[in-house]
Amino acid sequence: MIEALGYLRESISNYSDEQKDALSIQNKINENRYESETMFIRDLTEDEISFLNNILPDEINYAMNEKDYKRVNELNEVYELLY
């Protein structure tokens, strides 16, 4: 699995009980073998992209506060591809 998607899957697991988009994204990561983050992003629906746009800034800030710079970089890599 691509490392960035592993970090993303872990981050969105916090939302899977309350958001259908989180569960849908989690299922995509678990069921598919994406060759790149770009291929993953291309497979997302508009709602899933919107969901990630809403949560990733908070997740990146949390990782920064925890000084988990590896997580910051990996999540930021996915976030940048959303645009």
Side-chain angles (χ1 to χ4, degrees), residues 41-81:
I41 297 298
R42 288 181 184 157
D43 195 28
L44 296 176
T45 66
E46 291 290 324
D47 287 341
E48 292 166 340
I49 290 171
S50 178
F51 170 75
L52 289 177
N53 277 325
N54 286 329
I55 69 152
L56 279 175
D58 291 337
E59 292 297 319
I60 292 168
N61 284 334
Y62 177 79
M64 184 67 84
N65 289 336
E66 294 296 313
K67 296 181 174 48
D68 187 347
Y69 302 117
K70 177 71 173 164
R71 178 181 295 277
V72 169
N73 290 332
E74 297 295 338
L75 292 176
N76 194 53
E77 193 172 312
V78 173
Y79 186 56
E80 288 177 353
L81 290 172

Side-chain angles (χ1 to χ4, degrees), residues 1 5 8-9 25-32 40:
M1 174 187 301
L5 296 184
L8 180 63
R9 181 179 62 184
I25 294 167
Q26 212 169 17
N27 288 338
K28 285 181 180 183
I29 293 171
N30 291 336
E31 294 172 1
N32 298 293
F40 166 72

